Amino acid sequence: MARARNVRERAGHATLVAVLLASGVAATLLGARPSPVPAPHPASFASADPDQVESILTTYCVGCHNERRRSGGLALDALDVRSPAADADRWERVILKVRTGTMPPGGEPRPDPGQYDVVAEWLEKEIDRAAARGTADPGTTNPVHRLNRLEYNNAVNDLFGLDVDVRSLLPGDETADGSFDNFADALSITTTHMERYLSVARQVTRLATGLPPTAPAVLTYEVPLHVVQDQRQDEELPFGSRGGVAVRYDFPAAGEYLIKVRLRRQYQDYLMGMGWPQLLDVRLDGALVERFTVGGGALGFRPAAASYAGSGEPGSFGSPEWEEYMQLTGDAHLELRVHVEAGPQVIGVSFVREQFEPEGLPQPLQRGRVLTNDQIYMDRASVHSVQIGGPYETEASAVDTPSRRHIFVCRPGAGASEEACASQILSRMTRQAYRRSVTEQDVTSLLEFFRQGRAEGGSFDAGIQLALERLIVDPEFLLRISRTPPGVHAGDVYRLDDLEVASRLSFFLWSSIPDDELLTLAEQGRLTEPAVLDAQVRRMLADERAREALVQGFASQWLNLRLLPEKLADPDKYPDFDDSLLDAFRQETEMLVASTLLEDRPIPELLSADYTFVNERLARFYGIPGVYGSRPRRVALPDPEKRGGLLGHGGLMALSSYPDRTSPVLRGKWLLDNILGADPPPPPANVDTSLDQSGSVANLTIRERLDRHRGERLCMGCHALIDPLGFALENYDATGQWRDLDERGEPVDTRGTLPSGVELGGVAALREYLLANDDQFVRTVTEKLMSYALGRPLEPFDQPTVRKIVRDAEGQQYRWSAIVLGIARSPAFLSRRAQEI
């Protein structure tokens, strides 16, 4: 950190992006919303003077942005630079352009970096002072905010004490402009949603209360085709196992279940790995239930490796001998009926790992392609799917499960009124589900469903189940509804009550409903007391739910990790690229973010970390020795310059590439979007963005083709910034693998000169450059996290709040807790502007 500070001092007060763009960027960018940098230290404000600011604007800006021309819809000669707070929205647009250096356009005279700072510092200082003196605009959102899939899933699990994943049973969530899927305005509710909510409510509540399903259910868990099953696949599987899958399944009732295992097929439905005997285990919570033998040439028969399918030759694929062989040694026998008690258990299916290799010449793995006959026959067998069906015979008596203990806090005594106990259970569950104090009408309504369920199902438990089913299809559960207090008119700013703050906090940090402690403090009216609020935020951040929710809900969307399963690679160029590697990529980045949250590390450590999280598959890909098994673990990087921090994560580099080649443009844009927060605009509609693919340029490198592309005037400005950033990452190929030579066998050229004249020579130089201006990265994270917390895009009036949060966090080294606390304390989080109708 000291090193970064020293570099910043040498750089003066010039902000990162202003320096990057000091010598030219395209002029057509006024509609873009790049992030501003945080306000500078108060001491630097002394250099800002309104007369000097006005002179700079007149010299470089007013020629286009005046009353006559109104370029970009902005007339600076009509604004008072001495009182920028009077037109804060328009001046914030100016600050954004100045801080990112996107104005003046390329080819026009430009201020030097110091002049950029003078303008930005003066405008920020005056706007922030005015915001501190007055009532901040907290903004507004749609007063009806549907829970997204992650929030609904977490809410039903926390409400009922379950551990199930129902997200796949619900319709997908819309996103606003490719941002977060928890934005209120984007989350519509349709008849399809209601149909699925009704169906899921029945399944979830019967599972939670221990009632058997109305009919046996069959669920199939498939292993993705390109997951390589050559090592232990899951921590729930035993040591010495290979491949397979561990299925975490909540058995709805005690009874008999049918488990079927199907093996992976290739080429006209032929099983793989039947040429030698392999042992397949089925386990229940680690205990061996059944061991099968697959393959092995039980008839003393081995298909001719050189024969082709359908040739009719004896022993060839498709011949009568082969069909007979497959019937006897296939996977039709891999099924068993087993009695299982109700509750969550793990079904493990895996092969016993052999300590030898089948004979034959080693061949490169051909993922995603049709394999040769010999590979099909002598390859390792792999699990394709595990199917669980049942219960087929159930026991009448209820058993003890975590969810039943969570729900049934009382039991009606002999001869006692069942409704008194039902009221106690339903009052407690309603308070949690509705996230507020319970009214008599709430309980009365649910008791009607209790009576109906009791009569139809013949038991107390059946009555509770139907009442709970009704509970979680109520709008009070499915929607976060903001009610304007009496006497508040449209456009008025009002403080949120403590119960609404409790919901905001829990959905921000846990993506779920408030717990009992949070609700109790809110009901007492104490939650928004500063000391109490801070203590609750710290408590919630220390909870495992915060790390899981912020990684799955926030980080996975911020860093585009949800796109990793869709990543493709050309199998001819990258034959070893597979789903096992993609999964390891995802785990690496998620675990880095989670570890910095857990340890409350400074946010810039996401860029500077000299450690990472790898399993054997990823360690082999990175060239890190001494790592074995499928479990990811923290390791010190032998060469942090190559793999340190987010810039060295192979998954992020693969995401920003095409299947067959790297893309400096995609990577440069990724940096601007997610690290610098500059939000580059899309290219002009009349510009062809594709690179020339004609035969005349076939022998040119990507750099040479981009040089030609940059020669077009409309493309020059943006690419002058984007391309050098992307070139700095060219040592990573299209799959994120480190390389020293390019496709032509020549040393990789990572040189890039930014518009300011600063030269970058690879990822290490880029990382050092970003860390020298780490406040830019922190501001980007703060903006994105605050937008996620509020459930809406940020507006110009939010910028004083963002700048204050970042300034206040600097003294705490920009730790996660400082940023989260700053957001939770902010007027935008604790208050709301009444929506105009």
Side-chain angles (χ1 to χ4, degrees):
M1 186 62 68
R3 182 183 180 188
R5 299 294 180 201
N6 292 337
V7 177
R8 181 186 292 119
E9 290 170 5
R10 291 196 301 270
H13 295 297
T15 64
L16 173 60
V17 181
V19 173
L20 295 180
L21 291 171
S23 65
V25 171
T28 59
L29 316 183
L30 202 58
R33 285 199 66 253
S35 303
V37 297
H41 297 288
S44 67
F45 285 145
S47 62
D49 175 82
D51 293 329
Q52 187 179 6
V53 171
E54 188 169 20
S55 174
I56 294 171
L57 293 176
T58 300
T59 302
Y60 297 102
C61 307
V62 174
C64 293
H65 300 289
N66 54 56
E67 286 278 30
R68 183 174 63 84
R69 298 183 62 179
R70 299 189 67 85
S71 298
L74 183 65
L76 294 179
D77 57 347
L79 302 180
D80 185 0
V81 74
R82 298 177 182 277
S83 301
D87 293 287
D89 284 1
R90 281 181 280 186
W91 282 117
E92 285 290 356
R93 292 175 62 194
V94 174
I95 293 171
L96 293 174
K97 299 304 174 183
V98 169
R99 281 296 189 192
T100 58
T102 54
M103 285 290 158
E108 298 291 333
R110 299 172 62 83
D112 61 44
Q115 291 175 312
Y116 274 105
D117 281 339
V118 167
V119 173
E121 289 169 9
W122 169 259
L123 296 176
E124 290 173 349
K125 177 190 68 172
E126 293 301 308
I127 292 173
D128 291 355
R129 281 179 176 174
R133 289 194 300 265
T135 300
D137 185 350
T140 189
T141 58
N142 191 325
V144 178
H145 190 164
R146 175 175 65 80
L147 305 190
N148 65 21
R149 289 197 300 179
L150 176 63
E151 293 166 341
Y152 178 93
N153 184 79
N154 292 350
V156 295
N157 279 293
D158 288 345
L159 182 63
F160 296 135
L162 290 169
D163 184 15
V164 295
D165 191 344
V166 300
R167 285 175 290 181
S168 63
L169 304 179
L170 299 174
D173 297 314
E174 307 93 331
T175 58
D177 299 326
S179 52
F180 298 108
D181 63 4
N182 69 339
F183 281 10
D185 288 341
L187 289 169
S188 62
I189 187 164
T190 66
T191 54
T192 302
H193 282 96
M194 292 311 304
E195 290 169 359
R196 299 311 303 157
Y197 286 142
L198 290 168
S199 174
V200 172
R202 170 66 59 91
Q203 297 177 54
V204 167
T205 54
R206 293 188 73 88
L207 177 64
T209 55
L211 296 183
T214 55
V218 177
L219 292 177
T220 301
Y221 298 85
E222 291 189 358
V223 181
L225 174 62
H226 299 302
V227 168
V228 180
Q229 299 183 36
D230 58 1
Q231 61 181 358
R232 181 179 178 226
Q233 294 296 108
D234 193 286
E235 292 183 40
E236 299 285 358
L237 298 175
F239 289 106
S241 67
R242 174 188 66 77
V245 64
V247 176
R248 294 152 185 84
Y249 188 79
D250 206 324
F251 290 89
E256 188 175 83
Y257 291 83
L258 176 63
I259 300 173
K260 294 183 178 181
V261 181
R262 291 296 174 259
L263 301 181
R264 184 172 292 172
R265 287 163 162 76
Q266 177 86 18
Y267 191 63
Q268 296 187 4
D269 204 33
Y270 293 124
L271 293 170
M272 298 178 62
M274 295 293 102
W276 53 294
Q278 296 160 77
L279 300 178
L280 180 72
D281 289 348
V282 178
R283 297 174 181 270
L284 188 63
D285 272 350
L288 182 64
V289 177
E290 190 72 49
R291 173 167 286 178
F292 298 97
T293 298
V294 298
L299 299 177
F301 168 83
R302 182 179 189 274
S307 300
Y308 292 97
S311 68
E313 300 176 13
S316 68
F317 288 115
S319 67
E321 293 89 346
W322 174 261
E323 296 297 343
E324 181 183 4
Y325 170 78
M326 289 301 297
Q327 290 175 8
L328 293 176
T329 61
D331 60 358
H333 67 296
L334 303 181
E335 58 182 61
L336 68 154
R337 286 182 177 267
V338 59
H339 182 276
V340 184
E341 295 297 329
Q345 300 192 53
V346 176
I347 296 178
V349 178
S350 60
F351 293 93
V352 176
R353 187 167 189 169
E354 302 288 353
Q355 301 304 313
F356 67 91
E357 295 292 334
E359 293 183 3
L361 294 176
Q363 298 292 328
L365 296 176
Q366 302 293 312
R367 306 300 169 197
R369 301 180 62 192
V370 176
L371 305 182
T372 66
N373 292 352
D374 200 50
Q375 284 175 300
I376 294 174
Y377 186 71
M378 293 305 296
D379 199 1
R380 296 182 180 92
S382 298
V383 174
H384 169 260
S385 65
V386 175
Q387 185 183 91
I388 304 170
Y392 295 104
E393 296 180 9
T394 61
E395 298 176 358
S397 59
V399 297
D400 185 38
T401 63
S403 60
R404 284 181 57 82
R405 290 195 298 270
H406 185 79
I407 293 170
F408 292 102
V409 293
C410 65
R411 300 296 302 187
S417 170
E418 291 184 340
E419 290 200 4
C421 179
S423 295
Q424 181 180 345
I425 292 172
L426 296 176
S427 295
R428 174 175 168 271
M429 302 302 289
T430 302
R431 175 175 176 265
Q432 287 185 286
Y434 292 172
R435 308 175 286 278
R436 58 168 174 78
S437 300
V438 182
T439 67
E440 183 178 349
Q441 179 59 38
D442 293 330
V443 179
T444 300
S445 174
L446 291 174
L447 282 175
E448 294 179 8
F449 287 87
F450 165 77
R451 298 184 192 105
Q452 178 183 340
R454 177 70 175 85
E456 295 175 353
S459 69
F460 177 80
D461 293 4
I464 292 296
Q465 180 274 322
L466 188 61
L468 294 180
E469 183 180 334
R470 169 63 179 84
L471 176 70
I472 63 171
V473 296
D474 194 284
E476 293 268 14
F477 174 73
L478 298 172
L479 308 173
R480 295 164 56 188
I481 302 173
S482 298
R483 295 178 173 85
T484 303
V488 174
H489 304 290
D492 290 349
V493 173
Y494 63 92
R495 296 275 295 185
L496 301 179
D497 64 41
D498 283 38
L499 286 168
E500 191 162 353
V501 172
S503 282
R504 274 204 167 184
L505 273 178
S506 63
F507 283 106
F508 169 29
L509 297 178
W510 289 345
S511 292
S512 186
I513 55 179
D515 64 1
D516 183 70
E517 181 174 338
L518 206 58
L519 280 175
T520 299
L521 288 170
E523 289 170 333
Q524 295 171 351
R526 297 177 52 215
L527 180 58
T528 51
E529 295 175 9
V532 175
L533 181 66
D534 286 5
Q536 287 301 303
V537 169
R538 293 185 184 279
R539 176 183 73 87
M540 296 174 73
L541 272 177
D543 194 289
E544 179 67 27
R545 286 175 288 182
R547 294 190 294 279
E548 293 181 359
L550 288 174
V551 168
Q552 292 183 27
F554 170 68
S556 65
Q557 295 184 83
W558 161 41
L559 296 172
N560 301 327
L561 297 180
R562 292 184 180 181
L563 300 179
L564 267 175
E566 303 172 18
K567 168 62 185 174
L568 300 175
D570 186 337
D572 290 327
K573 291 186 175 182
Y574 310 105
D576 292 339
F577 191 79
D578 53 60
D579 282 1
S580 299
L581 182 60
L582 286 176
D583 196 47
F585 280 157
R586 175 189 57 78
Q587 290 176 327
E588 176 188 29
T589 305
E590 287 182 350
M591 293 180 75
L592 175 63
V593 176
S595 72
T596 59
L597 280 164
L598 170 66
E599 301 171 16
D600 194 21
R601 302 296 300 166
I603 287 177
E605 190 168 306
L606 292 174
L607 298 178
S608 65
D610 58 0
Y611 58 90
T612 193
F613 296 83
V614 297
N615 60 12
E616 182 178 350
R617 178 70 180 90
L618 186 57
R620 187 167 67 247
F621 185 79
Y622 285 172
I624 300 174
V627 178
Y628 303 100
S630 61
R631 180 183 63 83
R633 77 291 312 262
R634 177 169 169 162
V635 298
L637 287 167
D639 190 352
E641 288 194 351
K642 290 183 178 180
R643 292 294 177 185
L646 294 176
L647 298 184
H649 282 203
L652 300 180
M653 295 300 100
L655 277 174
S656 52
S657 300
Y658 292 113
D660 60 342
R661 66 171 177 84
T662 62
S663 172
V665 175
L666 292 182
R667 287 177 176 173
K669 184 179 184 301
W670 182 86
L671 284 168
L672 291 174
D673 282 337
N674 300 298
I675 304 300
L676 302 175
D679 191 20
N686 60 336
V687 171
D688 181 8
T689 60
S690 60
L691 291 181
D692 187 358
Q693 301 292 333
S694 64
S696 62
V697 299
N699 294 324
L700 297 182
T701 64
I702 296 299
R703 176 184 290 271
E704 291 166 341
R705 295 187 195 184
L706 284 173
D707 285 342
R708 288 191 174 193
H709 188 68
R710 270 198 309 275
E712 301 180 25
R713 187 176 182 279
L714 288 175
C715 305
M716 182 187 307
C718 286
H719 282 276
L721 171 63
I722 293 173
D723 294 357
L725 295 172
F727 285 138
L729 301 173
E730 274 291 278
N731 277 121
Y732 303 105
D733 69 14
T735 65
Q737 176 82 337
W738 183 269
R739 59 178 183 171
D740 293 310
L741 302 177
D742 63 18
E743 294 85 351
R744 300 196 303 185
E746 299 178 356
V748 173
D749 188 354
T750 60
R751 294 171 301 148
T753 303
L754 298 170
S756 61
V758 175
E759 293 186 359
L760 297 176
V763 63
L766 174 62
R767 183 184 297 111
E768 182 176 359
Y769 195 73
L770 294 173
L771 289 172
N773 300 269
D774 55 4
D775 52 346
Q776 177 82 17
F777 175 57
V778 173
R779 185 175 59 262
T780 300
V781 176
T782 301
E783 282 198 327
K784 292 183 179 294
L785 188 60
M786 183 172 169
S787 180
Y788 174 81
L790 299 178
R792 64 170 175 82
L794 295 194
E795 302 290 346
F797 53 73
D798 292 308
Q799 297 310 316
T801 299
V802 173
R803 290 191 285 264
K804 183 179 187 305
I805 291 171
V806 176
R807 282 199 304 270
D808 292 346
E810 184 177 13
Q812 300 175 59
Q813 297 179 298
Y814 301 126
R815 296 184 184 276
W816 278 107
S817 61
I819 298 298
V820 172
L821 280 167
I823 292 171
R825 296 166 179 162
S826 69
F829 194 83
L830 298 175
S831 54
R832 187 172 180 270
R833 173 164 40 84
Q835 193 172 44
E836 298 183 11
I837 302 178

